Every structure is written in structure tokens, then in C-alpha cells.
Amino acid sequence: MIQISDLIFSWPGQPLATLHISNLHIAKGEKLFLHGPSGSGKSTLLGLLAGIQTAQQGNITILGQDLGQLSDANRDKFRADHIGTIFQNFNLLPYLSPVENVILGCNFSDRRTATLKSANSTANQQAITLLEELGIDELCRSRSVGELSIGQQQRVAAARAFIGQPELIIADEPTSALDADNRDVFIKQLFEQADHYQATVLFVSHDNSLADLFDRKVSLQEINGACR
Amino acid sequence: MNLITLAFKSILNRKASVLLTLFTIAISVMLLLSIERVRQEAKQSFSSTISGTDLIVGARTGDIQLLLSSVFRIGHANNGLSWQSYQYIKDQRGVAWTIPISLGDSHKGFSVLGSDENYFQYYRYGKKQSLTFTYGRAYHNAQEVVIGSEVAKQLHYHVGQQIIVAHGMGNTSFHNHDDNPLTIVGILEPTGTPVDKTLHVPLKAIELMHDSAHTNDARIISNEHEHEHEHEHEHEHEHEHEHEHDNVEHKHHNHKAHDLSALESEPGDLIGHPKQLTAFLMGFDSPLYTLQVRRNINTYKPEALSAIMPGVTLRELWGMLDIVEKILLLFSVVVVLISLLGMLTTLLSSLSQRRRELAILRSVGARPKHIFSLMCSEAVLITVLGSLIGVVLFYLLMLIGQGVLQAQFGISISLSLLSYYELMLLGVIMCTGAVIGTIPAIRAYFYSLNDGMSIKL
């Protein structure tokens, strides 16, 4: 699913590398917990995986596609087609309804639209199904995004990540703004969806107590050779 | 949901600041369009005041002064020209027609113009249009008057009505008398020129008016004398008054009856024996004569005269106003620019708050070029909406201002569709808006390149 080998990345103008990962493999369908306290190069790694930045050396292969081989525009397209993202908080555009927020990504991805079409569904229908599955009922859907609780907002964001069945879900500290109960419910629902849609989950957090819920735990500090 | 809808919803989300920007742009567009429309209509009505006239001749004075006094009824001609000179020049070779003009009198603030039948036959305005009558016909004798459309409208005059025309300028005339009542025999169609605000009488009527004015002067003196006397005979006085009252009422009753019978008058002498004219208009068989006759008039020995070509002098006069016109245009352009810069400020300041929004869009697969076009379309949407509202406001303003402009300045504003020039102005504004919109768009582009999906606050 994801293969990172001999990756070296440094920000322009900085003499030292920010990231140096000799080998990281994530299998298809795996739910990986990546432990990354701040300063461990977490954001940089996510940027590289999403194709915002490109590495100076080494390569990242996702779904058999070497990201370094793609042009800027194609990397953006690749992200739109294959990767769903959930942020820490404030994931949603405040001026769109929950459903509109969920289908936002379909505007930029032909593949997701095509997937929906082959499943005999429209973006709207699929968004409602996803939101239902994540426990956002009709009453919540009719509200504006700002009126939703943070837990509900994160679930809308999860629905957005899953729509059109991308193969990889990157979750960047999605539960840090949630209390313990909500956090566990959220992760449980995330896994259900991932199993349902056969997606690989890369869950990044500084909170080690969550690690037990996952298939595997990797500490970014340990694998990042630049972080010493 | 495409980018335009997204831009639109994003704008709606920032209603307050965007509405203000929209309003500024709308007001500035309204201002620019209004100034341009009034400027053009003013120029139009200005240059269409007189046409088809080759020369205007008057006593020696400045070209512009002669034009203003003879055509626009602004200011006074200091001197007149003698009837003999008029007769002499009139008979020159190549002269097709002449229109004598005698000005200087007024009726309730409207100027009175003495002329002859040539006035209705040869006077042209606008695109060589001749004067036409809404009601009635031209005057036939010295007891008749033809009034302009504004005079009829403002004073509620109608054909067949009898009016008194006084000697002297201004509203308050001391020589008011009922010796020479004139019958209204014609009302002219609106022309949008000073003709609308003019009462046209035969030269002879002016002469009669002045003659009687002189006798009237004497009468006033004797009246005053009588007045002292009358104090002793108050009874008699009251009696007289009542009698006068009866007379007036009687007249009123007969107005309607007059209407038709008034038009069936006997043609009579229109010219009389005038000694002086204010000016006269000339037309030639061929324009070739114009310069030659003009030179002859300017060097005419018995009297100091000047002849002007109205087209040339009109341009000269408009040229003097040109700078004012340009400054007005400049100001309104600057106001539009300021409003667009206001939009730039709003967009730029909102941009830093919107980096999160951009990061979210990036995370769902928006490319930097999408971000760029999103920001651009916001600017374009604001400018286009602002311009549209501006056009609506412009028409509202014109609708309201129409009456005032016509009444105060004689500028008739047509509520016609936008001209090519005005559409071009709007186009330029929208293009400028789009160009200005690229500035925040470029910034957003680089933000989204550098920030990527990482959310920075």
C-alpha cells in the first residue's frame, strides 16, 4: 500500500534534513498508529504522503505509484482520487452545509465520482448514507456546520474522507479536541467505515494511549533518522 | 457544485464586509455612469441647440457672448444692430434666408423673442429638425404669440388664451399693462433647447409693446397723481375695483370659446418699422458664401458688426467647459478605482483568515490553480454584482433627477438603454476588478503551495 524507502527531505534553506526514513511499509487494510510528538517531522511526512511536497532523495510509493514520478498537478489529482484526510479540528468549510462539506472532494476527483456512479449512487445520496452510518441524523444535517459539536464535525470530516472510497485515509490528530468517550466512539466508527470500504488508515497522534486500538504502532521518532 | 458556487457561498459567508464592498462599488459605478450620462446629454443638448444656420450676426461683441445672447438667451447683447444694416446684408449675393431676432423682453421669467415668419420656416435645431407645433400654428399678425412647450407647461397656457407681455427683463416688471394683450395661437413641440422657454412674437408686437410702454410711463405718473386724488374719493375707487373684477371673470369665462375663433384671425403686418435688432441668423445657398459674407460683415463700414459661425463658436464654448468635464470624469474614475482598491483590501485582509479554508480545499484535492480561480471569481463576482447594482441605482437616480435637470438646466435625460460607451465603461470596470482580483489570488496561490494541507493560523 505505502512503501517509503531511503527518504530524505529538508526544507529549502535549511542545511539539515527534517526527515530521513530508510524504510516504512504499510500493508493494505492495515490500521497504523503513527506516534509523532510535535517536532518529530510529522507534518512534513504527511505533506510528503499527500504529495504537497516532494522528497529530495528516496521515494514514496502509494498503491504502486511513485509520487516522485508525478507532476505537481497529477500529485494533486492523485491525492484527490486516493487519499481522504481528517484534520485535528475545524475540518469543515463554515459556509457549506454538512452534506455539501462531505461531497466537496468529489468536485476535484473524477475517480471518486466514477466510483459513486458505478455503485449506482450520487454524491448526495452517498454523503447522506455515510453521515447516517456515522450517526449524523437528519436534524444535524439540516444545521449549519458551526452549530454542530466538535465530535459531530469530526464525523462529518470522516464522511468526507471516505466518500468515493479512497484507498488511504490519513487522520492527523482527529481526536485531540474530543473527550475520552467521544474519542473512543470516533475511532470505533472510523474503523467500521475503514473495514466497510477496505481502506487503509494512517492515524497520526502524540497520544500513546490510543495505540492499543490499532493493528500496529510506529514511532516516528524512532524511524526518523534525522531526529536525533 | 462548481467553483463559482463555492465562491458565491464563501462570499455569502462574509456578508458584512462583502456587502460594504459591493455597496461602494455600486455607488461609484452609479456616480460614474450618471456623470457620464449627464455630461453627454448636456453636450448633446448643447450642440443641438442650433443647426443649419451658417452665420449669426450681431453688433460687435465677443463671439461667445453673441452666441450666448442670441441662441441661449444668456446675458444681454449690449448693442443692437440697425434695421438698415440688416436690410443691406440680407440682400447680399448667396443669402438664402435670414431670421431677424429681437430680444430683451420677458414674460414671467421667460424670454420674449421677436421675429418674422422666417423663424418658423428656417430655424433648425438638433439634426436639422424644424420647429413643429403641438397645437395651433405660427403667428399671422402683431396680436399673436407662439409659445415654447416649457412656457405652456409651467404657466398652464393654452391656445386661445390672452396674455400680457411686458417690457424689460426679469419676473418683476414694473411696466405691466393690459394695452397689448397677445393671443396664443401656437404651442411648439418640445425641442430640448431654449426655444422651449421662449415666447415668440412678431417684431411688430415688440415695437407696439415699447411704444405703449412709453405712453404707459406717462400714464403711471398721471396715475400716481390721480391716486392722491382718489383718497378723497374712496367710494369711487371701490366701485372701479369691483368693475375690474367683473371684467376679469368675464374674460375667464370666454377662454374656451376663444380657442377656436382665435385661430381664425386676419393675416397682418409682422414686421412694422423696427429701428434695431439684437441679431439675425443667416443661411446661404452654398456654404462657399459663408466666409466671404462673414468677412464683408466684419469689415462693414457704417456699423461695427460681428458675424460668427455657430458650429465653430459652439465648439469653442464647449472647449472652455472641457476642462471641467475632464476633471469630473477624472474624479468619478478615481472614485471607481478607490472602490476597487477597497475590494482589494477586503479580499487581502480576509485572506489570512481564510488560510484554513484554503488548506481544507487543498486536502480534498483542490489544486493551486483551483484556489487561484476561486479567489479570482470572488473578485469578479463582487465587481459584476456591484456594477449591476450600480446600474440599477443609476437608473433610479436618473428617474428621480430627470425632472430637476430638465427644469433647472434644460438638459433632457433619456432613460435609454446603456450606450456602447457606457457598456464599455462597465466592461473596463469589470476587467479592472478581475485584474485587481488576481492580487489576492496570487497570494492565495502561493499560500496554498507553501502551506499545503497543514493548517496555519
Side-chain angles (χ1 to χ4, degrees):
Chain A
M1 178 75 207
I2 302 178
Q3 177 61 50
I4 299 175
S5 22
D6 302 325
L7 179 80
I8 297 178
F9 178 84
S10 55
W11 287 104
Q14 287 183 4
L16 293 172
T18 316
L19 213 57
H20 182 184
I21 299 173
S22 40
N23 185 31
L24 176 67
H25 178 80
I26 301 170
K28 188 175 186 324
E30 195 175 10
K31 296 177 192 67
L32 182 79
F33 182 84
L34 186 66
H35 180 245
S38 52
S40 60
K42 181 190 68 174
S43 303
T44 313
L45 177 61
L46 292 181
L48 286 165
L49 284 171
I52 304 283
Q53 280 91 28
T54 45
Q56 283 88 359
Q57 282 179 43
N59 44 40
I60 301 173
T61 309
I62 299 176
L63 293 162
Q65 174 66 55
D66 185 352
L67 291 187
Q69 303 289 313
L70 294 171
S71 66
D72 287 356
N74 280 334
R75 278 203 314 278
D76 284 326
K77 193 166 163 3
F78 187 84
R79 173 174 71 251
D81 286 346
H82 302 289
I83 303 173
T85 319
I86 309 167
F87 290 124
Q88 191 167 1
N89 50 17
F90 307 118
N91 262 300
L92 309 174
L93 295 184
Y95 50 85
L96 297 181
S97 74
V99 172
E100 283 170 333
N101 261 294
V102 173
I103 63 177
L104 188 63
C106 299
N107 294 307
F108 303 102
S109 167
D110 294 338
R111 186 193 155 269
R112 293 199 196 201
T113 320
T115 313
L116 290 172
K117 212 169 189 179
S118 67
N120 271 329
S121 178
T122 63
N124 247 324
Q125 285 170 349
Q126 183 61 28
I128 291 168
T129 314
L130 276 166
L131 287 171
E132 285 289 344
E133 284 167 3
L134 288 163
I136 306 291
D137 56 18
E138 207 177 332
L139 185 71
C140 287
R141 289 203 298 275
S142 63
R143 288 192 187 144
S144 86
V145 166
E147 288 168 330
L148 299 178
S149 71
I150 305 226
Q152 286 167 330
Q153 287 184 22
Q154 290 304 75
R155 276 178 270 168
V156 173
R160 186 180 63 205
F162 278 108
I163 196 164
Q165 297 182 28
E167 290 86 345
L168 176 63
I169 303 291
I170 295 176
D172 181 6
E173 305 255 21
T175 54
S176 65
L178 303 180
D179 57 44
D181 290 344
N182 264 313
R183 189 182 61 199
D184 292 350
V185 171
F186 179 80
I187 291 175
K188 197 171 136 268
Q189 284 179 331
L190 189 68
F191 286 177
E192 279 171 14
Q193 294 298 318
D195 289 339
H196 189 231
Y197 296 104
Q198 290 137 31
T200 309
V201 176
L202 176 59
F203 193 102
V204 188
S205 177
H206 66 276
D207 184 2
N208 250 328
S209 65
L210 297 169
D212 298 342
L213 300 165
F214 290 80
D215 299 346
R216 186 155 72 100
K217 177 198 162 186
V218 170
S219 169
L220 188 55
Q221 259 171 323
E222 282 165 25
I223 62 163
N224 186 0
C227 194
R228 257 183 288 254
Chain B
M1 191 171 51
N2 51 28
L3 278 178
I4 301 289
T5 343
L6 203 62
F8 189 68
K9 291 197 168 172
S10 175
I11 285 175
L12 278 185
N13 186 45
R14 286 168 286 131
K15 270 188 227 93
S17 63
V18 171
L19 265 182
L20 272 178
T21 314
L22 214 62
F23 197 59
T24 343
I25 292 177
I27 297 262
S28 70
V29 166
M30 175 197 78
L31 195 69
L32 179 71
L33 286 180
S34 309
I35 285 177
E36 280 305 283
R37 179 64 68 97
V38 171
R39 190 173 70 97
Q40 289 195 322
E41 298 281 350
K43 194 173 185 171
Q44 184 60 39
S45 72
F46 190 80
S47 57
S48 67
T49 305
I50 187 165
S51 84
T53 297
D54 293 316
L55 281 182
I56 300 174
V57 184
R60 173 97 15 111
T61 173
D63 288 3
I64 289 171
Q65 201 187 352
L66 178 56
L67 182 81
L68 283 177
S69 64
S70 63
V71 177
F72 292 95
R73 330 260 193 267
I74 296 171
H76 287 271
N78 292 334
N79 296 304
L81 59 96
S82 70
W83 183 252
Q84 285 80 6
S85 303
Y86 169 61
Q87 289 294 340
Y88 172 77
I89 294 165
K90 190 180 154 176
D91 293 334
Q92 297 259 309
R93 212 158 63 93
V95 177
W97 51 265
T98 55
I99 299 172
I101 288 177
S102 177
L103 290 160
D105 296 314
S106 81
H107 172 77
K108 297 191 178 167
F110 293 100
S111 50
V112 174
L113 182 144
S115 189
D116 59 14
E117 69 279 0
N118 279 2
Y119 187 86
F120 300 102
Q121 202 178 343
Y122 295 112
Y123 188 84
R124 297 285 183 277
Y125 70 97
K127 298 181 179 79
K128 304 217 167 173
Q129 292 149 279
S130 54
L131 298 171
T132 48
F133 288 87
T134 314
Y135 302 107
R137 52 159 175 82
Y139 42 65
H140 278 169
N141 58 45
Q143 277 73 48
E144 296 179 342
V145 55
V146 169
I147 59 175
S149 61
E150 271 301 303
V151 182
K153 201 168 135 192
Q154 287 190 21
L155 301 179
H156 305 291
Y157 283 173
H158 51 82
V159 169
Q161 197 169 344
Q162 293 204 325
I163 57 169
I164 311 293
V165 173
H167 175 44
M169 275 303 235
N171 213 344
T172 48
S173 191
F174 9 88
H175 304 308
N176 242 335
H177 46 81
D178 26 29
D179 281 10
N180 292 318
L182 298 173
T183 311
I184 298 171
V185 293
I187 297 172
L188 293 168
E189 290 267 14
T191 61
T193 70
V195 170
D196 296 351
K197 293 182 169 182
T198 304
L199 294 93
H200 306 85
V201 298
L203 282 171
K204 192 177 180 184
I206 300 237
E207 194 188 337
L208 288 173
M209 216 152 74
H210 288 209
D211 284 349
S212 68
H214 289 300
T215 54
N216 209 44
D217 279 346
R219 252 184 48 176
I220 284 174
I221 296 164
S222 65
N223 251 349
E224 270 171 15
H225 199 68
E226 263 173 44
H227 214 69
E228 284 170 19
H229 248 276
E230 269 171 22
H231 274 294
E232 292 155 29
H233 305 284
E234 255 175 51
H235 279 291
E236 246 178 88
H237 184 72
E238 270 173 25
H239 189 70
E240 244 174 69
H241 238 282
E242 270 171 33
H243 197 69
E244 263 177 43
H245 217 70
D246 276 354
N247 258 350
V248 171
E249 271 181 13
H250 196 64
K251 265 188 201 168
H252 261 287
H253 271 295
N254 279 350
H255 269 328
K256 289 282 173 245
H258 267 299
D259 278 2
L260 295 171
S261 60
L263 295 179
E264 294 161 8
S265 66
E266 286 294 314
D269 181 24
L270 295 176
I271 293 170
H273 309 285
K275 291 180 196 68
Q276 277 209 322
L277 288 175
T278 310
F280 61 93
L281 313 180
M282 296 177 86
F284 295 102
D285 293 327
S286 153
L288 294 173
Y289 291 107
T290 310
L291 287 173
Q292 193 195 335
V293 173
R294 187 183 178 207
R295 195 168 51 244
N296 288 348
I297 293 170
N298 283 337
T299 56
Y300 180 66
K301 280 270 159 4
E303 201 175 355
L305 298 177
S306 45
I308 58 165
M309 291 189 275
V312 174
T313 312
L314 271 173
R315 269 200 295 280
E316 218 174 286
L317 187 53
W318 193 253
M320 288 166 64
L321 303 174
D322 202 38
I323 186 76
V324 179
E325 199 192 353
K326 290 246 165 70
I327 288 172
L328 269 179
L329 178 63
L330 186 75
F331 270 115
S332 49
V333 166
V334 167
V335 169
V336 171
L337 254 173
I338 289 173
S339 74
L340 289 177
L341 287 179
M343 176 180 75
L344 177 65
T345 317
T346 320
L347 287 179
L348 274 181
S349 64
S350 72
L351 195 60
S352 48
Q353 300 156 19
R354 293 174 67 203
R355 287 172 87 163
R356 170 180 299 281
E357 190 182 324
L358 301 182
I360 292 168
L361 284 169
R362 282 284 275 161
S363 78
V364 297
R367 287 165 226 167
K369 71 165 190 190
H370 288 132
I371 305 284
F372 180 83
S373 31
L374 180 74
M375 298 301 294
C376 266
S377 44
E378 274 185 23
V380 171
L381 268 176
I382 292 174
T383 327
V384 169
L385 271 177
S387 302
L388 285 179
I389 298 172
V391 170
V392 172
L393 288 179
F394 158 69
Y395 276 113
L396 277 178
L397 187 75
M398 288 296 111
L399 202 65
I400 296 164
Q402 217 177 6
V404 181
L405 280 170
Q406 176 65 56
Q408 296 291 315
F409 307 103
I411 301 169
S412 64
I413 298 290
S414 52
L415 280 175
S416 56
L417 291 173
L418 294 173
S419 66
Y420 278 119
Y421 173 68
E422 286 160 337
L423 285 175
M424 198 196 74
L425 278 181
L426 284 177
V428 169
I429 292 172
M430 288 178 198
C431 287
T432 316
V435 169
I436 285 179
T438 58
I439 296 171
I442 288 169
R443 273 190 87 160
Y445 181 89
F446 284 110
Y447 275 163
S448 68
L449 267 185
N450 297 330
D451 295 3
M453 309 187 313
S454 56
I455 287 172
K456 291 183 179 161
L457 281 180

